[in-house]
Amino acid sequence: MAAAGINVNDGLSRTLGNRAFYLQLLERFRDDQRDTIPRIRHSLGEEEDRLVAERLAHTLKGVAGQLGITAIQEMAEQVVAKIRRGEDHRMLAPLLDRLELDMRTLHKELARIIPTQVMPEPENLSPEQMDHEATRAIIKRIAYLLRQYDGDAIDLLSTSNALLAASLGSAAHQRIARAARQFDFDAALAALTAGAEEAGFDL
């Protein structure tokens, strides 16, 4: 599998070579990040909510990095840095324009490589369709980041929503996501650990 603007080998290494799962993550990125740049503009301009704008850019950076979308990751990182330096929406406009253009190009590329057929809902995946070791590795990584109180845990949770819902169950996944959104990393870690143990994942 080859895709312009995406380091596929890097992305696949994070799912232990599980191509189907990697495609699912790319599809989720396409859907979840579709309107990120307009939302950053709105937060910087009309709402003047720099914290929201920074969080949106930081999440885009983290998710793109997890999937090997290097150019998007690097530009999003620049946006985060400029927001933190206090640059306003007018100063950020040229960079956001380039980022938005690259995102549009990326979406066209994703439309080319992501299968057009409807994929099964995560909750309906059979054990044979899920890679146990790949799932365990990602859960362990999330647990490690939560223990370190590392904000990247939220980014990885965002890209792993479908996997966690399928492997741990929707109830456990909702508890983890709710705690993480509130930055209660201890509660998120406890929910993740309990859900993993119940689902048979040895962490």
Side-chain angles (χ1 to χ4, degrees), residues 15-58:
T15 61
L16 300 185
N18 188 327
R19 185 178 182 276
F21 178 44
Y22 181 55
L23 286 171
Q24 282 186 320
L25 295 183
L26 286 174
E27 185 175 26
R28 190 165 189 87
F29 174 88
R30 180 196 64 191
D31 296 341
D32 290 353
Q33 301 298 324
R34 187 181 302 278
D35 62 347
T36 294
I37 309 308
R39 290 172 65 196
I40 291 174
R41 293 185 196 277
H42 185 69
S43 296
L44 287 172
E46 295 181 25
E47 292 191 355
E48 296 184 351
D49 194 336
R50 301 183 67 82
L51 287 177
V52 170
E54 181 182 336
R55 185 67 218 164
L56 288 167
H58 186 269

Side-chain angles (χ1 to χ4, degrees), residues 8-153:
V8 173
N9 288 334
D10 182 45
L12 279 172
S13 72
R14 299 173 190 273
T15 61
L16 300 185
N18 188 327
R19 185 178 182 276
F21 178 44
Y22 181 55
L23 286 171
Q24 282 186 320
L25 295 183
L26 286 174
E27 185 175 26
R28 190 165 189 87
F29 174 88
R30 180 196 64 191
D31 296 341
D32 290 353
Q33 301 298 324
R34 187 181 302 278
D35 62 347
T36 294
I37 309 308
R39 290 172 65 196
I40 291 174
R41 293 185 196 277
H42 185 69
S43 296
L44 287 172
E46 295 181 25
E47 292 191 355
E48 296 184 351
D49 194 336
R50 301 183 67 82
L51 287 177
V52 170
E54 181 182 336
R55 185 67 218 164
L56 288 167
H58 186 269
T59 298
L60 176 61
K61 179 199 79 167
V63 176
Q66 289 289 336
L67 298 175
I69 309 173
T70 309
I72 297 294
Q73 176 193 12
E74 292 174 351
M75 278 192 283
E77 187 171 17
Q78 293 177 43
V79 172
V80 171
K82 288 177 179 291
I83 292 174
R84 288 177 178 171
R85 287 202 298 267
E87 297 188 20
D88 62 24
H89 66 282
R90 290 164 295 187
M91 299 172 69
L92 274 162
L95 178 58
L96 289 174
D97 287 344
R98 292 200 303 274
L99 182 53
E100 189 166 34
L101 180 61
D102 275 20
M103 286 286 283
R104 288 175 184 167
T105 302
L106 176 65
H107 280 232
K108 292 178 182 177
E109 187 67 7
L110 291 176
R112 182 184 69 81
I113 66 172
I114 292 174
T116 56
Q117 66 206 52
V118 177
M119 299 186 73
E121 291 296 321
E123 292 80 0
N124 296 329
L125 291 175
S126 69
E128 292 77 15
Q129 291 173 295
M130 296 176 59
D131 188 316
H132 185 87
E133 284 306 310
T135 301
R136 178 174 174 272
I138 290 172
I139 292 174
K140 285 188 67 174
R141 177 62 179 168
I142 294 171
Y144 171 79
L145 292 172
L146 290 172
R147 289 191 191 97
Q148 303 301 313
Y149 299 96
D150 190 327
D152 285 348

